[in-house]
Amino acid sequence: MKDGSDLTLAENMNLYDKSKVLSFNSLKTTDGGEYSCKISNPISNDEAKYSMVVIYGPGNVQIKGRSEIHLGESFTLTCSADSTPPATYIWKLNGTEIHNSAKFTTDNAKLSDSGNYTCQAMNSITERTSIAVHGLSVTDGWSGGLSAGAIAGIVVSCLVVASAGAVGGHYFYKKTINNKAPPHSDKNEYVEEGSDITLSCSADYRLAAQFHWFLNGDLLSDTGPELRLMNIQMSQSGNYSCQAFNDKTLRYEHLSL
């Protein structure tokens, strides 16, 4: 019997010596399971059991996950393989080792996360390895469907108000772009250390936009159309980006300063 049911002999199985011996010619992965042999005479009977584990793999390595994401989004890549015992995994990005479990997750995607992700599955008993490769592109929202954003009449504006502290007065900067140009400012902006800065972002969507802020490509915790920086320091210099997202059209726009 196998797994509690009468054994059906497959092409690679043979019974001989009055059914005392069960042999396998070229073992298959499906041959694993619990085998039992019952013996009896007119007076009594007995049974013995044997659990057989077929070691194999890894094979059929696959990576599941998105191939394109937007800057600042989270993503997960999952690797799987047919293997007994279960395989162990090593992830590489463009040839550099980055992770060592079945799932690779990033909470805040950067442009540098783009590239070819290789998952290497290993079986410690068979000492075999097998790999799969997955291409991932991180975009800043200016590719694909975004360029067709005219249907929403998208215009992103950025207004900077910087308090000059002891000097007095205010400094105003306004930059407007449309969806035909890449998101960047055409000049550097200077403010005095210790000033209070407010960056305001607006988007001309037919439906209300959601806003996220980035500094040098890193997602900040601030959300909403205004980013307030109090007593600004030199370490806060850099490229500030506003990402406007319409959750109905699923379109993004960026503006950087």
Side-chain angles (χ1 to χ4, degrees):
M1 304 183 73
K2 179 186 178 185
D3 297 327
S5 300
D6 289 343
L7 176 64
T8 301
L9 293 179
E11 293 181 355
N12 66 325
M13 298 178 183
N14 284 298
L15 276 174
Y16 61 93
D17 194 9
K18 298 181 180 180
S19 295
K20 291 180 181 179
V21 180
L22 172 64
S23 68
F24 297 83
N25 179 24
S26 183
L27 202 63
K28 298 180 180 180
T29 59
T30 55
D31 292 331
E34 184 179 73
Y35 291 82
S36 61
C37 170
K38 289 184 177 180
I39 185 169
S40 64
N41 63 25
I43 298 176
S44 63
N45 62 76
D46 202 354
E47 180 180 9
K49 294 183 178 181
Y50 174 76
S51 181
M52 183 166 67
V53 177
V54 180
I55 298 170
Y56 65 96
N60 191 30
V61 182
Q62 297 183 19
I63 299 175
K64 293 183 179 180
R66 295 167 60 183
S67 298
E68 182 174 331
I69 62 170
H70 292 288
L71 192 70
E73 285 188 313
S74 62
F75 70 91
T76 297
L77 300 179
T78 303
C79 189
S80 63
D82 296 334
S83 178
T84 298
T88 58
Y89 301 92
I90 292 178
W91 288 90
K92 295 181 180 181
L93 173 57
N94 299 327
T96 301
E97 186 173 329
I98 56 173
H99 196 57
N100 59 356
S101 70
K103 287 187 177 182
F104 174 75
T105 300
T106 293
D107 293 329
N108 180 14
K110 300 178 176 61
L111 295 178
S112 59
D113 291 323
S114 296
N116 289 323
Y117 287 79
T118 301
C119 172
Q120 177 179 283
M122 298 172 291
N123 185 315
S124 60
I125 303 299
T126 65
E127 297 184 346
R128 296 175 181 173
T129 63
S130 187
I131 67 171
V133 180
H134 180 85
L136 177 70
S137 176
V138 180
T139 65
D140 62 1
W142 282 87
S143 60
L146 180 63
S147 61
I151 63 171
I154 300 173
V155 177
V156 179
S157 301
C158 182
L159 173 64
V160 181
V161 180
S163 172
V167 178
H170 290 81
Y171 165 77
F172 294 90
Y173 170 73
K174 188 171 184 178
K175 173 75 173 178
T176 303
I177 61 173
N178 57 35
N179 58 354
K180 297 180 180 180
H184 68 276
S185 170
D186 56 6
K187 66 177 181 176
N188 292 326
E189 301 303 325
Y190 299 91
V191 295
E192 184 179 355
E193 189 175 35
S195 300
D196 297 335
I197 305 298
T198 299
L199 303 181
S200 298
C201 190
S202 63
D204 183 18
Y205 288 111
R206 291 177 182 172
L207 296 174
Q210 300 174 8
F211 297 92
H212 295 280
W213 292 89
F214 299 81
L215 173 57
N216 298 325
D218 294 328
L219 180 66
L220 301 177
S221 60
D222 302 78
T223 58
E226 288 191 348
L227 174 64
R228 298 179 183 273
L229 304 174
M230 311 303 290
N231 189 27
I232 197 166
Q233 302 299 307
M234 291 183 64
S235 60
Q236 293 173 281
S237 297
N239 183 39
Y240 285 85
S241 300
C242 168
Q243 180 193 77
F245 172 61
N246 187 320
D247 61 1
K248 301 300 182 183
T249 64
L250 301 181
R251 299 184 186 278
Y252 290 80
E253 287 286 350
H254 267 77
L255 180 68
S256 298
L257 172 66

